Amino acid sequence: MRVPLSWLREYVDVAADASPEDVLAALVTVGFEEEDVHRFDITGPVVVGQVVSLEGEPQSNGKTINWCQVDVGEANGGVRGIVCGAHNFVAGDKVIVTLPGAVLPGPFPIAARKTYGHVSDGMIASARELGLGDEHNGILVLSDLGIDAPVGTDAIALLGLDDVAVEINVTPDRGYAFSLRGVAREYSHATGAEFRDPAERDFAELQPGTGHVAIVDDQAPVRGRVGASEFVTRVVRGVDPSRPTPPWMIARLSLAGMRSLGVLIDITNYVMLELGQPLHGYDLDKLTGGITVRRARAGEKMTTLDGQERTLHVEDLLITDESGPIGLAGVMGGGTTEMSDTTTDVLIEAASFDPTTIARTARRHKLPSEASKRFERGVDPLIPFVAARRAADLMVELAGGTLTDEGGALFAEVFVGEIDLPAGFVEGLIGVDYTETEITGALTTIGAEVTAAEDGWTVIPPTWRPDLTDKWTLAEEVARIHGLDRIPSVLPTPPSGRGLTAHQQGRRRVANALASAGFVETPAFPFTTEAQNDLHGSATGEHLPSIRLANPLDGQAPFLRRSLVPGLLQTAHRNISRGLTDLAIFDTGAVFLPEAGTTYGTDEVPPLGERPSEETLAELNASIPPQNRFLAALLTGNATPRQPGRPAEAAGLSDALDAVRVIATAAGVEIDVVQSTRAALHPGRTGDLRVADRVVGYVGELHPAVTADADLPGRATVLEVDLDLVLSLAGERIVAASLSTFPAATQDVSLAVPIEVPAADVEAALAEGAGALLESVRLVDDYRGEGVPSGSKSLSFALRFRADDRTLTAAEASEAKLAGVAVAAERFGAALRD
C-alpha cells in the first residue's frame, strides 16, 4: 500500500518535519513492513508561465514548430524564448515551464539548447513529462485544470509534485490497511497522534434513496455464504466527464500507484484508496432494467473492461441487468455499461461481497485487481453507505453533477460475535506483565468494545477487523499496540531425553555417508506421470494405482511418485544439458504407494481456527496413502576423469554396488545382491537388494531404451532402496563387532561350477560350511575359457579365518575351507580346481 503523506495528514496529525523514514519507522512498530519511498523525481525551477506570443514555423521535415515568448515572472528572468512542438495552446494561456537546471522524471535534465534555428531557453511541459499521467497529446494548459495561478508561481507545489508516498507491505489478515483510513488509524496507534475518521458522518445523510434497489438471487452460495450481503446505489445526474481531474487528485493517485483515467473513474479509485471500499460506476443510460446479483450460468460469457471476453464459471458472482452480465462482482466491471466521455448520469455501486467467492473468481480468471485485493481480505461492512455518499459528493464537486434522491440499499444486520478474554491469558501467552489498564486500553484503541466480566473481559472487535476471531488474536493486538520490543527474547530449555528418533538418525547417517562417498543430494518435486510410475514403480512395468492430484502444479505431471528414479532422470538430463556430464547424484524422500481398491482423500475439510477431534484426525490419516521414505541414486558419465597417464573410467554397475555397501554400512545391515529382472533395467545387469531374505530395493543399469527416452548419453546406473524398511530391519541399536588381537589365516579356493549358478549362492555355501572361524569371503575371479569344462565357470574366492581366543593353525584353516567346499559341492556340484 502506497500512502501519500499529504493525504495521510488529512486524517492523522503527522508532524510537519516528519520525514518519510520517520513515518515508516512508526508504522513498523505496529507490525508493518517498510517497502519503499516514492517521489515524483522532479526538481525545479518549474514555474507557471504565460504565453505572450507564438509564431508557427514550418520545417523542412514537414513539422511545424511554435517559436514562443513565455513570461515566467521577473524573478525567473522575465520573458523567455522557447521552442514547442505542441499546438493545443494559444497566446494568453498559462502553462507549466521547466527552466534550465530543472530535472524531470527519467531523469531528463533541462538546459538551454539550440534547436530549429533558435535557442530554446527552457521547455513547456506536458502531463506525462511531469509524471502526472500518460497523456501526451499536448502541453498542460492550466485553464483545462481549472487553475489560474500567478505567473512565476512554483508549479511543483501547485500541482502536488512535492508530495511523497511511503509504501508498506500489508499482510493478508490486515486488509483494512489497504486504505488511508486504516493506515492513519495505525499511525495514530504507533505515535498517539490524533486520528480523524473520514467515515464518521451523520447516518441521515447517508441514506441512498429509492428506485434502484438491487436483488440478490444467489442459488448456490459458497460454503453457505451468500455472495453479496450489502448493495448500496446512488445516482448522480448531469455530470460532465470532460472536466479535468484536479492536479492534487492526480498527484495522489499517481503516488499511490494508479493512473488517471478521467474524472469519474478517478473519483471511484480515490474513494477506494481513501476508505478501503471498492466502488464501481455505471452509465445509467446504458443500464437495462434493474440490477440482479447472481451466480453465472453454465457456458455464460461476458466482456470485461479490459476488452477480454471471458467464459464464466458457475461459481462466479455476477452483476446483471435485463441484458445479461454487466460485471464480475468485486473483480472488474463489464464493457457494456462503463462510464465514458458521453456519460451524463452515473449509478454508483458500493457493495460487500463474500471474500471466498471474490478470491476464487480473481484467481480463476487470472484477473487480480485493486478491488478484488480488498474484497478477498474483508471490507468493513459498515463502510459502503459512506463510500457511496463520498463518491457522489466528489462527482458533484468535481464533475458538476447533481445528487438525486434516487438509489437503493440492500443490507443485512451486521453481527460481530463476542470473544471471551480470560484474565491472565494475555500475560501468559505473550510473556509480558501487562496491567489490566494496558490490556483494555490497547483493545479500546483499536476500536473494540471491552466489557468487564467475572473472570476477565468480553470483547467485541470492530467491524473493520475480521481477523480478530479469538483470544489469541486479541492477545496479539495487545502485544502489537504496546510494542513487540517489550517481549523478552528467551531461548526455551529443551527437556532431557528428546532428540532425533532412531529412524531420523539412521536417515541422516545414510545420507551423510553417501555425500561423503562423493554423491550429491538433489531433491526433486514428488510429481510425475502415470507412465513413469508404472515403469519405475514396479518390477514388471505393470499398471499400478497412483494418486492423482486435484490441482497439480504441472498438468503434464499430475501424479504423486511411486519411485524416486524419475526425478533423478530429470535432474540428470538438466545437468547434462548444461555441460555437467559426470554425475553421481542421490535423493531421499517419500514415495506414495496406494493400495488397489482403496479410495484416498476426503471432501470433508475441518474448519480453521480449532483443533480437529481425534476421530477427525484418524479419518484424515486413513485417507492418506502409505508414504514410505526411499533412497535412490544415479550414476552416469565418468567415475574417474582422465588424468595424465591414466584414461577416464566410466561409472558402472560396480560403482553402484559400492554405493550399496556404503548404505549398508551406514544403516548397520548386510545387503545381499541377487540377480533379477526389472522392466526399466538392462537384462542381465539387474539385481535385487535383500536384507535377511527380504527385498528392500534394486540396483542395475538402465535399459538403453529408458536411457534414450530420458535423453541421457551413454550408460546410466541406478539403485533404489526402501530406507524405512532397511532401518527397521537394522533395529534400533547398532553394536560394533569386537576386534580380535590374534592374526588371521588366509587361503584361496577355486571351484568349477555350472555356468548358470550365481556366484553369490556359491559364496553363501562356502560361508555356511566354513562356520564361525570364517571372518570374510570375497569373490576375486570369474574365469570362463580354456581349461574349464564347457558349460562351467571357475570361481575363485579369497577366504580369511580368525579365532577370538587363539592363533589358528594352517590345518584348522584348511579344514574349515574344505568344509565350505563340501557344502558347495553338495548343493551345486562344485569341483575343487588345482
Side-chain angles (χ1 to χ4, degrees), residues 344-587:
T344 57
D345 301 328
V346 176
L347 177 75
I348 302 170
E349 165 214 309
S352 292
F353 297 117
D354 172 45
T356 302
T357 294
I358 303 308
R360 289 183 178 182
T361 297
R363 285 158 179 73
R364 184 180 299 116
H365 294 284
K366 296 180 176 60
L367 193 60
S369 65
E370 290 293 329
S372 66
K373 180 168 65 176
R374 288 163 173 81
F375 277 127
E376 65 189 30
R377 287 166 171 80
V379 172
D380 184 356
L382 299 183
I383 208 69
F385 289 87
V386 180
R389 178 58 190 262
R390 172 66 167 152
D393 290 343
L394 287 174
M395 288 187 182
V396 171
E397 177 186 350
L398 304 179
T402 301
L403 180 61
T404 70
D405 292 333
E406 301 173 78
L410 173 72
F411 57 93
E413 181 180 358
V414 177
F415 174 78
V416 181
E418 297 180 344
I419 301 173
D420 292 328
L421 182 62
F425 175 78
V426 175
E427 303 95 303
L429 181 67
I430 305 300
V432 176
D433 291 330
Y434 297 111
T435 65
E436 292 186 1
T437 302
E438 286 179 318
I439 294 173
T440 57
L443 297 177
T444 303
T445 296
I446 64 173
E449 297 180 17
V450 183
T451 305
E454 182 178 352
D455 57 347
W457 302 273
T458 298
V459 182
I460 301 178
T463 55
W464 58 84
R465 294 297 304 272
D467 58 306
L468 301 181
T469 57
D470 49 43
K471 58 185 178 182
W472 290 275
T473 52
L474 293 179
E476 180 184 352
E477 287 300 295
V478 174
R480 187 174 67 88
I481 294 301
H482 287 298
L484 301 178
D485 56 332
R486 287 184 60 181
I487 302 175
S489 178
V490 179
L491 291 176
T493 302
S496 60
R498 300 288 180 89
L500 299 179
T501 65
H503 268 55
Q504 289 171 332
Q505 293 175 352
R507 290 197 294 264
R508 289 194 179 187
R509 193 167 57 247
V510 170
N512 290 338
L514 270 183
S516 300
F519 285 75
V520 177
E521 187 170 8
T522 57
F525 286 118
F527 314 121
T528 187
T529 64
E530 192 172 31
Q532 289 289 321
N533 269 345
D534 292 344
L535 178 63
H536 296 283
S538 69
T540 61
E542 63 182 305
H543 175 67
L544 295 173
S546 297
I547 296 295
R548 185 185 182 97
L549 296 172
N551 186 24
L553 291 177
D554 183 355
Q556 295 182 341
F559 291 91
L560 292 174
R561 65 192 178 192
R562 293 186 62 99
S563 168
L564 301 179
V565 172
L568 290 177
L569 292 176
Q570 291 182 356
T571 301
H573 170 68
R574 189 179 304 112
N575 281 271
I576 289 172
S577 68
R578 288 159 175 76
L580 302 175
T581 57
D582 300 333
L583 299 174
I585 57 178
F586 77 99
D587 187 12

Side-chain angles (χ1 to χ4, degrees), residues 14 57 83 116 141 221 282 343 417 492 636 706 725 751 759:
V14 180
E57 297 182 356
V83 173
Y116 293 108
V141 179
Y282 300 92
T343 298
T636 189
V706 176
L725 178 57
L751 299 175

Side-chain angles (χ1 to χ4, degrees), residues 110-338:
I110 304 299
R113 63 190 183 94
K114 186 173 183 180
T115 179
Y116 293 108
H118 300 281
V119 175
S120 184
D121 198 15
M123 186 182 78
I124 305 175
S126 68
R128 187 169 73 176
E129 288 164 339
L130 294 171
L132 283 175
D134 294 332
E135 182 62 41
H136 199 56
N137 294 329
I139 57 105
L140 189 64
V141 179
L142 292 185
S143 61
D144 292 342
L145 301 179
I147 298 176
D148 185 13
V151 171
T153 301
D154 180 6
I156 293 179
L158 178 69
L159 300 178
L161 301 178
D162 56 347
D163 202 358
V164 60
V166 296
E167 183 177 1
I168 58 175
N169 180 32
V170 178
T171 54
D173 61 329
R174 301 174 72 181
Y176 66 94
F178 276 118
S179 67
L180 268 295
R181 180 194 184 205
V183 176
R185 180 182 283 110
E186 290 298 329
Y187 185 82
S188 172
H189 297 164
T191 63
E194 182 183 355
F195 169 66
R196 296 172 291 278
D197 191 349
E200 284 189 2
R201 300 189 63 163
D202 184 1
F203 190 71
E205 67 179 5
L206 300 180
Q207 298 305 305
T210 59
H212 293 277
V213 178
I215 298 173
V216 176
D217 182 21
D218 188 355
Q219 300 296 323
V222 175
R223 296 183 181 176
R225 298 184 60 176
V226 176
S229 56
E230 291 188 330
F231 201 96
V232 180
T233 60
R234 300 204 75 127
V235 174
V236 180
R237 294 188 179 272
V239 297
D240 180 4
S242 65
R243 284 199 179 188
T245 302
W248 57 266
M249 182 177 283
I250 295 177
R252 288 180 175 180
L253 289 173
S254 180
L255 280 175
M258 304 189 77
R259 295 184 299 120
S260 176
L261 298 172
V263 64
L264 299 180
I265 298 176
D266 289 349
I267 287 171
T268 59
N269 287 336
Y270 186 84
V271 175
M272 176 184 67
L273 293 173
E274 182 178 67
L275 299 176
Q277 170 67 55
L279 300 170
H280 188 69
Y282 300 92
D283 188 326
L284 187 58
D285 295 332
K286 296 178 182 178
L287 288 174
T288 305
I291 290 178
T292 299
V293 183
R294 62 171 173 84
R295 301 285 172 175
R297 302 186 181 99
E300 199 167 14
K301 297 182 179 182
M302 72 165 291
T303 301
T304 47
L305 284 174
D306 57 0
Q308 298 293 318
E309 183 181 62
R310 302 182 183 277
T311 300
L312 304 175
H313 187 276
V314 292
E315 199 179 81
D316 292 333
L317 191 68
L318 302 180
I319 311 298
T320 68
D321 64 4
E322 292 180 2
S323 67
I326 58 175
L328 267 176
V331 179
M332 184 174 285
T336 58
T337 57
E338 66 177 315

